[in-house]
Each structure stands twice: as structure tokens, then as C-alpha cells.
Amino acid sequence: MFRMRAETVTSHIVGAEKEQVQGEEMEWKCRKSGHSSDKENQNSNWLKTNNVLNNVLFTMRLHSLNQTQRTPLSAPTNKNQDFTLTNLVSDKTSLLSDEILLKILSKLPKSQRTANFLVSKRWLNLQGRLVRSVTLLDWEFLVTGRVFLRFPNLVHVDLVNGCLVSSRNSGIFCTHKSLSFHLGSDVEGKDRFFDENLVLNADEVDRGLRVLASGCPNLRKLVVVNCSEMGLLSLSEECPTLQELDLLMCNDRVLRGIAACQNLQVLRLSGIVDGFYGSLVSDVGLTILAQGCKRLVKLELSGCKGSYEGIKAIGQCCQMLEELTLRNHNMEDEWLSALSFFGNLRTLRFISCKRIDGSAELDEQLGSCPAVERLHLEKCQLRDKRSLRALFLVCHNTRKLFVRNCWGLNDDMFSTSSALRRVRFLSLEGCSLLTTHGLESVIISWYELQSLEVKSCNNIKDSELNPIVSTVFSALKDLKWKPDSKSQLSSNLEGTGMGKRGSKFFKKSCDWKSLPMHRTSDS
């Protein structure tokens, strides 16, 4: 067999030599006659030699095949086999360019993208280019620059958990909004268990911000804790497209650096958080914020101490502001009248606020904020009737009113909402003190009411509704009525045996003392 293959190779080589000799003779004759050019002879010789070399390479390839892959000599061999690149490459996706493969991978759902990096190193890099948002857990991953090699196209970065230095071996885990950390058993503070030792110092955080600014020039959203004004200044210079910023442990000095972020549209400031940390944001910081960030659209002030002057500065300078959120605010009295300076404010939110305004002379100095259309009250203590009425007078053009899980909202407090004459949507949830009569007295006066949503208000009973309210309900476009959750639960569990007290439900079927005694006699 080997002798025959050797003879075949020898015959091809001899044939190639004959053709080469014939080509040289033709070239000599043509030169002698002077009818052909050197360029045509070179092309013809190259074509003939190329065909011969293809035959030799084909024969040598057959000779190098393994014994299991050899075809019998009696079987005819096809010399016109397809040796294109697609048949020789096992991974067909390697023939696609990165741009085409990225378009294909981007069409996959996010739930199916996470496992793509396990295919190969190339897919690992491509998958990293598709990632836009990252929550950092290891601070060294940022300062060493590895995060940019792994994810080169980041636009949203959360640095809060990476800034914490708490031990993860502790079994106590605390969380508040975006801040989560492990707490050791050696906590000494009574009023606050989160201290400065659990977070990186401001210099180290600023160093990470400088690295982030140089590696992510297209950054649009950032969440950071315990930074200084120098870190924000470097960030604003390198990242002109920054549009959304969350600052935890913020104070007036930090807001000096935020004034350079001229394209900022969404800002969330966290000053004082009970039990975690206390950072002062006063009228000084609010005024710096107002003069520097004039393109704000959404602003959230959490645990900030301000007054009429600070809120007034924001209303006068941030004329594009459409949404204002006050979370657990510590504003001074008479600040509520400053809302009249917000000309384009559409949404006003109060979340976890212990009070609205403590002033006793609000009715005399109140203005109005006619642009407000949505008013949210969530987890607030509504115990001051005068301040609640003042809020409704300022936002008298409110179209949508949301009241959820607020303490102290009884019939007398809810009656102040009759000052809102243009309400079209009302949502009540978790208002356990509000009765059916208190609800009826208000919604009857709202002639533009179109939608009503009542959930988990246990003192509102279906049996207590009068015919006038039924007529109002029939004219509504949308009605979601689930006020008494307890009665609804008991009706659903009726006949199942559940919902009873343990002393009755787990009743003993028999007493062990009543069991017959079996005595055994000795044999």
C-alpha cells in the first residue's frame, strides 16, 4: 500500500517536471520568434505549477491520514473536495466578526446572557462589552483597573457595598435602601451601630472616583458613599455625561463638588439616617446645589435639615425640576410656603416623614404650587391637622392622591382633603383608622373623580355604604375595592379549618390517662 502511494507521489512529481520542461521549451521558442512577452510566460508557468502543486498536496494529505480515516483503495477518491475555511473550522462562530456576534448576543434575554462567558475567552470578553451596570463588591477590583478590562462599556456603577469594610463572617446583616453591611457582635453604640470604621475614608473613596472617571468617561449613573468634594470635582471633569447621582453620607462640603456636574438631572442626597449615620445638609448645601445643578429634573432629600430659604433657592434656580421627594425630613417650620416658587413641579412625595410642617401660622403665609398633579403620602405620621390642610391648600390642583400606610389618618384628618377639588384618582392603602363615613364625606364632593383604589382599610365596610356612594361608584371608570382584608381572608378560608386559634385547632383527640392499662404477669 505504501509502495503504491509512493509511486503515485513519484508519478505526480515526474509529471510536474515534464510540464516544467515543456514550459521552458515553449518559452525558449517564443523568445526566439519574439511573439510573446515575459509577463504572459510567467503567468502561464505559475498557473501550471500551481495545479501540479495542488495535486501533490492532495496526495500528501491523503497519505498523512490515520489508519481509521483511510478510504479503501478500491473506492474512488474525489479530488474536488471542499477545503474551504468553514469546513476546516470546528467553531463556526469564530468566523463571525465581533460586531456581528455582539448584535446576536444583544438580542438574547438578560436571563440567558449570564452564562455566555463560560463558552470561551472570546465570549467572555464579548459578554463583558454588553454589560452596562455593575454593583461593586471588591474595592481592589476598581482601583486596580480590572473592572474596565472586564466591563469596558459601563454606564451605571454602584460603589456603596465596595466601600464597606465590615466583616462578612458575622451573622448579623443590616440593610437600608442601597446600603447593606454585616454587623459584628461587639457593637457598643446604643443609638447608632454604623460608625466610620465600617466604611472607607474619604481619601480612599476619592481615589476610587478618580480611577472610575478615567476608565468610564461615558458614565451616566453613580451611587457612592462618604466621598468628598475633590472626588466629585474629578468625576465631573472626566464624565460630562453624568446624569444620575446618589450620595450617601452627604454634607454641605460635599455639595461644593457637585455644583460642577452641570448636566446632572437626577440627584438623591442622604444626610441623616437614624441608627446608621448622621451627616448635615443645611440651607448652605441646598443653596450650593441649587446654583450649580440647574438642570435637575428629579430631586430626593433624605434626612436633610433645611428651611424656607433653602427650598426657595431650589425652586428659583432649578426651574426644570418636575419631581421632589422628601424622606424623613428635618425641615424647620414654615418651609412649606416655599413650594410656591416651584413653577414646573409635577410630583411631590413625602416618605417616612414624622411631620409635614410644625408652624401654627401657615394659613396666613401660604402660597400655591399650581403645577403639582401627583401627591404621595407614604409611611408618614399625619397627626397635625393644620399642617396637612396647609399641604392640601398649597397643592390644590392635585389630580392624583396616594395615601399608603400612614399613621393617624382618621376621619377628621382625611376631611382636610376636601380642599382638593380636582382629584381624579384616589388610592388608599393601609389606612386602618379611616371609616366608611369619613371616606363618603370626601369623595361625594369630588365631582371629577374617575378612579378609586381602596386596599387593607379594615374600618371601611361594604355594608355601611349608602346609596349615594353607590351612585358615585357606578360612574367611576376604574374601581378596585378590597378594603376589609380580614373579612376577605376569613371568607376564603371558610371550611378549611385554618384561621382558628391554636388551643382550639390543635385539640387533643384523647387523653393519655384514659388509655387502657395493659398489665403483664410473670410466668
Side-chain angles (χ1 to χ4, degrees):
M1 180 183 298
F2 291 106
R3 182 180 299 175
M4 295 179 64
R5 295 188 182 276
E7 292 177 356
T8 305
V9 174
T10 305
S11 61
H12 283 291
I13 295 175
V14 172
E17 293 178 352
K18 291 182 178 180
E19 291 181 0
Q20 186 175 2
V21 172
Q22 292 178 359
E24 293 176 354
E25 293 178 355
M26 291 293 295
E27 182 180 1
W28 180 80
K29 292 180 180 180
C30 291
R31 287 181 179 179
K32 186 176 181 180
S33 59
H35 295 292
S36 62
S37 61
D38 296 338
K39 186 175 182 180
E40 293 178 355
N41 292 330
Q42 292 177 1
N43 293 335
S44 60
N45 291 334
W46 184 87
L47 291 173
K48 292 180 181 180
T49 308
N50 189 26
N51 294 330
V52 174
L53 291 177
N54 285 337
N55 294 331
V56 174
L57 292 175
F58 174 74
T59 306
M60 295 178 65
R61 186 177 185 277
L62 291 179
H63 180 68
S64 62
L65 293 175
N66 296 329
Q67 185 67 24
T68 56
Q69 298 178 350
R70 292 175 181 173
T71 56
L73 294 177
S74 58
T77 58
N78 184 15
K79 297 184 179 181
N80 297 325
Q81 293 184 4
D82 190 5
F83 293 101
T84 58
L85 188 60
T86 55
N87 290 332
L88 297 177
V89 176
S90 58
D91 184 10
K92 301 298 189 298
T93 60
S94 62
L95 303 177
L96 301 176
S97 62
D98 291 347
E99 290 74 14
I100 296 177
L101 195 55
L102 280 173
K103 291 182 179 180
I104 297 175
L105 295 177
S106 63
K107 301 297 182 180
L108 295 176
K110 293 184 179 180
S111 59
Q112 299 181 6
R113 295 182 188 176
T114 54
N116 291 340
F117 68 93
L118 299 174
V119 177
S120 62
K121 290 185 177 180
R122 185 193 181 198
W123 281 49
L124 175 66
N125 297 329
L126 293 177
Q127 178 63 22
R129 293 168 61 180
L130 292 175
V131 175
R132 298 291 185 267
S133 177
V134 163
T135 299
L136 190 70
L137 301 179
D138 186 5
W139 189 252
E140 293 297 327
F141 192 54
L142 171 64
V143 296
T144 57
R146 291 179 296 167
V147 63
F148 312 120
L149 298 177
R150 180 69 177 85
F151 310 107
N153 298 324
L154 290 177
V155 296
H156 175 199
V157 180
D158 187 349
L159 301 178
V160 173
N161 293 324
C163 295
L164 301 180
V165 293
S166 59
S167 176
R168 297 186 180 182
N169 297 326
S170 173
I172 306 175
F173 184 75
C174 300
T175 181
H176 175 74
K177 295 181 64 176
S178 59
L179 180 64
S180 300
F181 59 94
H182 291 264
L183 188 65
S185 58
D186 54 346
V187 180
E188 298 179 357
K190 296 181 180 180
D191 298 331
R192 185 178 296 122
F193 47 83
F194 183 89
D195 55 13
E196 297 180 354
N197 297 326
L198 297 178
V199 65
L200 296 175
N201 56 61
D203 295 336
E204 186 67 23
V205 176
D206 292 345
R207 176 193 171 196
L209 289 181
R210 289 191 293 268
V211 175
L212 179 65
S214 60
C216 293
N218 297 323
L219 188 66
R220 295 183 179 180
K221 183 178 179 180
L222 175 65
V223 184
V224 65
V225 59
N226 197 29
C227 64
S228 70
E229 66 273 19
M230 299 306 298
L232 291 179
L233 285 174
S234 61
L235 189 69
S236 60
E237 294 175 357
E238 300 293 336
C239 303
T241 59
L242 185 64
Q243 298 178 356
E244 188 170 351
L245 181 61
D246 290 19
L247 294 179
L248 282 71
M249 299 181 65
C250 181
N251 52 45
D252 293 340
R253 183 176 298 178
V254 175
L255 293 177
R256 297 177 183 176
I258 203 177
C261 302
Q262 300 181 358
N263 295 324
L264 201 62
Q265 298 182 4
V266 181
L267 177 61
R268 299 179 182 91
L269 302 181
S270 179
I272 300 175
V273 178
D274 296 337
F276 285 82
Y277 50 83
S279 301
L280 179 61
V281 178
S282 63
D283 286 341
V284 177
L286 296 180
T287 304
I288 296 174
L289 162 66
Q291 295 177 356
C293 304
K294 297 184 178 181
R295 297 185 179 181
L296 282 180
V297 179
K298 295 182 180 180
L299 175 62
E300 179 177 337
L301 303 177
S302 178
C304 296
K305 289 185 177 181
S307 65
Y308 173 85
E309 297 297 333
I311 301 299
K312 176 184 175 181
I314 296 176
Q316 290 178 338
C317 298
C318 304
Q319 299 181 1
M320 300 175 60
L321 191 66
E322 297 181 357
E323 181 175 329
L324 176 62
T325 302
L326 298 173
R327 185 187 297 270
N328 191 23
H329 76 82
N330 297 301
M331 298 293 176
E332 297 180 2
D333 297 342
E334 300 182 2
W335 73 270
L336 192 61
S337 56
L339 292 176
S340 59
F341 293 94
F342 291 80
N344 294 319
L345 191 63
R346 297 290 186 270
T347 304
L348 180 60
R349 301 175 186 269
F350 290 85
I351 302 176
S352 302
C353 296
K354 298 178 181 179
R355 61 187 181 88
I356 303 298
D357 196 323
S359 177
E361 300 178 355
L362 288 174
D363 296 344
E364 300 178 358
Q365 303 176 0
L366 279 178
S368 63
C369 189
V372 174
E373 298 179 352
R374 292 177 294 273
L375 180 59
H376 295 253
L377 298 172
E378 183 177 351
K379 298 180 181 179
C380 297
Q381 296 185 18
L382 305 179
R383 306 182 187 277
D384 187 0
K385 184 177 179 180
R386 183 185 294 270
S387 63
L388 184 60
R389 182 176 180 274
L391 175 62
F392 290 149
L393 289 176
V394 172
C395 307
H396 60 89
N397 286 333
T398 298
R399 303 297 182 89
K400 295 183 178 182
L401 177 60
F402 301 83
V403 183
R404 296 175 180 174
N405 301 318
C406 292
W407 294 274
L409 186 66
N410 52 23
D411 294 347
D412 189 24
M413 296 292 296
F414 187 69
S415 63
T416 58
S417 62
S418 59
L420 306 174
R421 296 294 183 179
R422 306 188 64 181
V423 175
R424 296 183 179 180
F425 176 86
L426 174 62
S427 176
L428 298 174
E429 183 177 353
C431 303
S432 58
L433 298 180
L434 185 62
T435 64
T436 308
H437 177 70
L439 178 64
E440 292 175 354
S441 62
V442 174
I443 63 175
I444 291 176
S445 62
W446 290 345
Y447 299 105
E448 298 183 11
L449 186 64
Q450 298 179 356
S451 301
L452 178 61
E453 180 179 334
V454 179
K455 294 182 180 180
S456 303
C457 300
N458 296 328
N459 282 329
I460 299 178
K461 308 293 183 180
D462 296 343
S463 58
E464 298 177 359
L465 294 175
N466 58 37
I468 300 178
V469 178
S470 301
T471 304
V472 175
F473 286 178
S474 62
L476 296 177
K477 294 182 178 180
D478 186 16
L479 176 61
K480 296 181 180 179
W481 186 260
K482 295 180 181 180
D484 192 358
S485 58
K486 292 183 179 180
S487 61
Q488 184 180 3
L489 179 63
S490 60
S491 61
N492 293 333
L493 298 179
E494 185 177 358
T496 61
M498 299 179 64
K500 300 180 180 180
R501 293 184 178 180
S503 59
K504 295 182 179 179
F505 182 72
F506 297 101
K507 187 176 181 180
K508 295 180 180 180
S509 58
C510 60
D511 191 1
W512 65 272
K513 296 181 180 180
S514 61
L515 296 176
M517 300 296 294
H518 297 278
R519 299 180 179 178
T520 57
S521 59
D522 296 336
S523 57

